[in-house]
Amino acid sequence: MNESPKKDHKYYLDLKDRVLALNDAYYNHDQSEVSDFVYDQLLHELEELEQEHPEWQEIDSPTIKVGGKASEVFSKVNHDVKMESLQDFFSVEDIDSFVRRTQRELSYEAEFVVEEKIDGLSVSLEYEKGIFVRGATRGDGLVGEDVTLNLLEISDVPRVMLHDKPERLVVRGEIYMTKSAFIRLNEIQEKNGVKLFANPRNAAAGSLRQLDPKITANRDLSLFCFNIQLVEGMEFSTHQETLKFLARNGFKIIDLEKVARTTEEIDNLIIEIEERRSRLDYGIDGAVIKLNSLKDREKLGSTSKYPRWAAAYKYPPEQVETKLLDIQVNVGRSGKLTPLAILNPVVVDGSTVSKATLHNEDYIAEKDIRIGDMVKVQKAGDVIPEISTVVFDKRPINTEKFMMPLTCPVCGADAVRKTGEAARICVNEDCPAKLKRKLEHFVSRNCMYIDGLGEKNIELFLDLGLINDLADIYLLKNHRDDLLKLPGYGEKSIDKLLEAIESSKNNSMENFLAALGIQFIGANTASLISEVVPDIDTLMMMTAANLEDIPGVGQASANAIVEYFNNPINLELIEKFRSLGLNFKSYSYKDQASREAESELPWTGLKAVVTGTLENYKRQEAELKLKELGAQVLSSVSKNVNFLLAGENAGSKLDKALNLDIKIINENEFIEALNKPEKFREDL
């Protein structure tokens, strides 16, 4: 049995750093790395530790700060009234304690309202004399982003109030995407070959924070308003009055449950909301409990982070019951056997789920998952479907325990599970499943990038025996006549494919190295190595210690490279590639003298990506300018990129940069930066 970790000061610091990292991913990059339920549990544990050890709490604690920050892409907006977050509770007992404590401080049985907690992106809407003048995201609660033009593209945002015209009004609401709109959006994304959105919340956040309002307009966003932050020239006494006022003036409001006074009444309302949760066309992750009296709210005030007059009850992840039809075992590029649940399709958190991860055989054994079972499915991290539990009282008679195969389901070779590892591995290096995945990786965009050689073509060429290893791709030209006989393949398409294959021979060493599929060696690591190592032959002679001296290359990566080139089968493959004329040299290699000279350039160490059409430069010319100033030019956007140069029709790279909160510059700003490179770097 595993011992519980010691909750000392180091444990606290590690926990704090983890929550801060999750905050950064969620608020600033619109990415959910764990489920809301898991995040809330971690934050709750952090709060408890700080209550026990107040001397541990530091100024950057996420229990003090609201998670987000304003992006530099949009203008900053200072909120006149802080946009606070809510304290979360996970049991009705905690909510009951909150209610009793609040009523005790007020010295009377106060009224509460209970609302759905919409899972979206919080915004403020500002009106002057009834006219919408500005909208902003929450940001860190004090400073947000000006997204006025984007909000004007959302039909739920009133441009002009219908009846009343207060001198000034600031309304708080939640931008969200309905489940049906989310499904439609992902269908379009899939049709266009673009990466799918993980969940409606991420889709809504990414759609609102677009540089081009036309993109926002096409994303079918919605808005619920739930609070008046500030009003001039009018007075209200209760929260109910403010919502009626908003509804009268054209704002879509969150429908209130009836007013409650006792803990029993509040608990019943929380349960009522949860019971209809799965039937709603929008996501909710809890219920909000608020004081109805605005005077009482003012009396209680707020802590450094939370209002003391409101709290949220967080529901556990949505679980939906369905039937496990089969367990499919797939073989990956490394030979790892991975079990996959095949389910009777069911809608979970807004998307249709027909498959779910089963992780490994220990996971299956621990939960005693069997084919034919009724199971409960949830989204792990709000993204990946997984089976959470088996409904044992609905288990059919005569089901059998599932056993992972001892042999590879594709080639029949032994599937071995080494001590200390969770997965079984096919020992056959020539396994067709391994080869298929390796081929798909080899031709992918960040590797050799052979356009036209997709999954279906690879499957066909494998079935016909035209490809038996990675290097055989470059022998397809010898089978041109055979290819022309295939149904659906014309002379033009075949010649275009063969030209793409031939052209890829000239790719740099970094593409070739990444394409080999060496464990731990992706495009970024291959790029770092190629700046320091002149060619594959030199790399093959290097020791693990030599490789670890390269900045960014760790022990695991170094050992994997040495192990790969010590394998006679791999050496034979390399020689075959050589005989076919592939380039083994690095185009980005710089000798010591060049690196020392480059280290003095103003943009040394910066990573940039160029996308879209520029008016004054060809893309290659812009990339050359960047390199002349010392910047490293990358082909894809990741969190390691420092800035993106975006021209017209920038596309998905711009979307990703926005979601990752990467600095984005247009062509005019680029020209200005070229003239003042030191200042540009200082401003990054």
Side-chain angles (χ1 to χ4, degrees):
M1 187 173 179
N2 294 330
E3 293 184 8
S4 299
K6 183 180 179 182
K7 297 188 178 182
D8 54 12
H9 188 232
K10 182 181 183 305
Y11 179 90
Y12 164 79
L13 292 174
D14 290 342
L15 179 61
K16 184 196 72 172
D17 289 344
R18 185 181 180 196
V19 175
L20 285 172
L22 293 173
N23 270 357
D24 179 61
Y26 184 83
Y27 289 104
N28 301 323
H29 306 308
D30 306 323
Q31 296 177 348
S32 303
E33 295 187 357
V34 298
S35 68
D36 287 351
F37 186 75
V38 171
Y39 170 83
D40 292 334
Q41 295 284 7
L42 292 172
L43 185 63
H44 189 60
E45 183 182 5
L46 193 69
E47 290 171 338
E48 288 183 338
L49 286 173
E50 288 179 347
Q51 289 173 3
E52 294 174 13
H53 302 278
E55 71 279 7
W56 289 355
Q57 189 180 57
E58 299 179 0
I59 193 66
D60 68 338
S61 172
T63 64
I64 298 174
K65 298 168 66 179
V66 175
K69 65 179 180 181
S71 167
E72 294 181 4
V73 175
F74 300 95
S75 301
K76 293 181 173 61
V77 174
N78 294 312
H79 298 302
D80 291 333
V81 178
K82 184 178 180 181
M83 295 179 69
E84 298 172 305
S85 58
L86 294 172
Q87 186 171 12
D88 296 326
F89 294 108
F90 306 96
S91 69
V92 291
E93 290 78 16
D94 287 339
I95 288 293
D96 293 349
S97 296
F98 161 77
V99 171
R100 286 192 292 268
R101 182 173 64 251
T102 303
Q103 292 182 334
R104 188 167 57 249
E105 290 185 34
L106 293 171
S107 301
Y108 80 102
E109 193 176 64
E111 289 184 343
F112 287 87
V113 291
V114 181
E115 302 171 341
E116 297 167 349
K117 186 175 184 296
I118 309 298
D119 190 16
L121 182 72
S122 204
V123 295
S124 67
L125 311 174
E126 297 182 38
Y127 291 79
E128 293 180 1
K129 296 182 178 179
I131 299 173
F132 178 58
V133 294
R134 187 166 64 169
T137 62
R138 181 174 73 171
D140 65 359
L142 297 173
V143 180
E145 303 161 346
D146 190 327
V147 288
T148 305
L149 295 178
N150 294 18
L151 286 168
L152 283 168
E153 299 293 343
I154 301 172
S155 59
D156 287 342
V157 176
R159 278 62 170 170
V160 179
M161 295 172 63
L162 295 179
H163 302 289
D164 304 288
K165 313 290 182 183
E167 284 294 314
R168 188 155 180 259
L169 175 72
V170 180
V171 178
R172 182 168 176 177
E174 197 83 359
I175 296 292
Y176 67 97
M177 184 177 287
T178 64
K179 296 175 183 178
S180 52
F182 172 71
I183 292 171
R184 288 195 298 271
L185 175 61
N186 265 350
E187 286 173 350
I188 294 171
Q189 295 286 102
E190 187 172 19
K191 184 178 179 181
N192 293 333
V194 183
K195 184 178 179 182
L196 304 185
F197 287 98
N199 53 52
R201 193 269 172 196
N202 286 13
S207 300
L208 181 64
R209 300 169 71 240
Q210 291 286 331
L211 288 181
D212 184 357
K214 292 178 182 176
I215 298 176
T216 304
N218 292 326
R219 294 288 175 81
D220 200 7
L221 297 179
S222 302
L223 167 75
F224 273 129
C225 292
F226 59 86
N227 202 59
I228 290 181
Q229 300 287 93
L230 180 152
V231 62
E232 295 178 2
M234 302 186 74
E235 289 188 2
F236 303 98
S237 60
T238 66
H239 182 63
Q240 281 182 306
E241 287 180 18
T242 65
L243 291 186
K244 289 177 182 176
F245 167 81
L246 291 174
R248 164 183 159 82
N249 283 284
F251 295 90
K252 190 166 76 173
I253 62 168
I254 295 178
D255 291 331
L256 273 184
E257 306 299 324
K258 55 192 175 186
V259 172
R261 290 180 179 273
T262 67
T263 55
E264 183 179 2
E265 289 173 341
I266 291 170
D267 294 346
N268 287 335
L269 293 176
I270 290 172
I271 293 169
E272 283 180 25
I273 293 174
E274 184 174 18
E275 286 177 345
R276 68 167 181 264
R277 178 186 180 190
S278 62
R279 301 193 299 272
L280 299 172
D281 192 31
Y282 50 88
I284 64 172
D285 57 358
V288 180
I289 300 91
K290 304 176 181 177
L291 278 174
N292 193 26
S293 167
L294 302 184
K295 187 176 291 185
D296 287 347
R297 293 183 182 185
E298 188 175 346
K299 180 179 178 180
L300 291 183
S302 302
T303 66
S304 59
K305 185 176 181 181
Y306 306 118
R308 298 174 67 238
W309 44 266
Y313 175 78
K314 299 298 288 288
Y315 298 130
E318 181 182 7
Q319 295 185 339
V320 181
E321 193 173 302
T322 189
K323 186 175 183 178
L324 174 60
L325 303 176
D326 196 8
I327 296 178
Q328 176 181 307
V329 179
N330 297 325
V331 184
R333 178 162 54 93
S334 65
K336 183 171 75 172
L337 275 60
T338 304
L340 181 71
I342 307 300
L343 306 167
N344 193 28
V346 65
V347 176
V348 183
D349 196 21
S351 58
T352 301
V353 172
S354 59
K355 299 178 181 179
T357 180
L358 289 170
H359 301 291
N360 53 54
E361 58 187 303
D362 291 342
Y363 184 86
I364 296 173
E366 180 186 341
K367 294 183 178 293
D368 191 17
I369 298 170
R370 304 184 186 186
I371 296 171
D373 277 339
M374 293 301 294
V375 295
K376 290 187 177 179
V377 182
Q378 66 183 31
K379 296 276 192 75
D382 290 334
V383 179
I384 304 169
E386 69 173 7
I387 291 176
S388 59
T389 57
V390 174
V391 185
F392 289 106
D393 58 359
K394 294 184 180 181
R395 168 167 282 172
I397 301 171
N398 298 327
T399 59
E400 297 180 357
K401 285 184 177 291
F402 179 80
M403 302 295 293
M404 284 289 285
L406 302 179
T407 57
C408 174
V410 176
C411 72
D414 289 342
V416 177
R417 181 177 178 179
K418 295 180 180 178
T419 303
E421 294 188 1
R424 292 187 176 275
I425 305 291
C426 171
V427 299
N428 179 14
E429 285 302 318
D430 295 323
C431 175
K434 281 187 183 181
L435 180 56
K436 179 176 178 291
R437 302 295 191 281
K438 287 179 179 178
L439 286 164
E440 290 170 356
H441 173 76
F442 188 87
V443 304
S444 63
R445 182 178 294 270
N446 289 329
C447 297
M448 297 304 280
Y449 191 24
I450 302 177
D451 192 23
L453 192 53
E455 182 179 348
K456 290 183 179 179
N457 280 343
I458 287 172
E459 284 184 1
L460 178 61
F461 298 157
L462 282 170
D463 290 342
L464 294 173
L466 298 177
I467 295 179
N468 295 296
D469 62 26
L470 295 179
D472 280 349
I473 289 172
Y474 296 95
L475 293 174
L476 284 172
K477 62 183 180 181
N478 299 336
H479 301 283
R480 182 177 182 276
D481 292 341
D482 295 325
L483 296 175
L484 287 172
K485 296 175 184 177
L486 297 174
Y489 288 80
E491 187 170 353
K492 187 175 180 181
S493 62
I494 291 297
D495 286 342
K496 185 177 179 182
L497 171 60
L498 295 178
E499 285 171 13
I501 292 172
E502 194 66 21
S503 176
S504 73
K505 290 181 179 181
N506 299 316
N507 285 346
S508 180
M509 165 187 148
E510 64 186 84
N511 302 98
F512 180 66
L513 178 58
L516 289 175
I518 302 172
Q519 190 177 17
F520 307 123
I521 310 301
N524 287 338
T525 304
S527 178
L528 293 172
I529 291 171
S530 297
E531 291 182 5
V532 180
V533 180
D535 50 51
I536 286 290
D537 293 309
T538 303
L539 181 65
M540 290 166 65
M541 301 300 293
M542 294 178 71
T543 65
N546 296 149
L547 289 164
E548 285 184 62
D549 287 338
I550 300 174
V553 177
Q555 183 179 17
S557 299
N559 289 337
I561 291 172
V562 171
E563 182 179 344
Y564 182 87
F565 289 119
N566 279 339
N567 186 323
I569 295 175
N570 295 333
L571 292 178
E572 186 178 337
L573 180 65
I574 296 296
E575 290 310 308
K576 188 174 179 179
F577 278 125
R578 190 194 305 276
S579 69
L580 290 167
L582 270 71
N583 172 61
F584 282 3
K585 294 185 180 298
S586 168
Y587 298 151
S588 57
Y589 170 71
K590 307 174 188 73
D591 59 25
Q592 186 64 29
S594 300
R595 288 198 295 274
E596 289 176 358
E598 194 176 78
S599 66
E600 299 177 5
L601 295 173
W603 289 356
T604 296
L606 296 183
K607 293 180 174 64
V609 173
V610 182
T611 188
T613 304
L614 302 174
E615 186 177 343
N616 298 294
Y617 298 94
K618 292 181 179 178
R619 183 178 298 187
Q620 293 85 346
E621 292 173 339
E623 291 179 349
L624 181 60
K625 291 285 185 184
L626 290 163
K627 291 176 181 178
E628 286 173 350
L629 287 168
Q632 180 183 359
V633 180
L634 303 180
S635 60
S636 60
V637 176
S638 71
K639 62 182 180 181
N640 298 318
V641 171
N642 298 100
F643 65 96
L644 175 82
L645 169 56
E648 293 294 322
N649 303 314
S652 61
K653 289 182 182 178
L654 176 60
D655 288 349
K656 188 169 183 180
L658 282 166
N659 289 337
L660 292 176
D661 205 18
I662 291 168
K663 183 176 180 63
I664 298 168
I665 61 172
N666 60 31
E667 189 171 358
N668 290 333
E669 292 169 322
F670 176 58
I671 294 170
E672 185 179 340
L674 293 178
N675 293 326
K676 298 179 180 179
E678 289 83 3
K679 184 179 186 304
F680 176 79
R681 178 160 195 153
E682 289 174 6
D683 293 340
L684 271 178

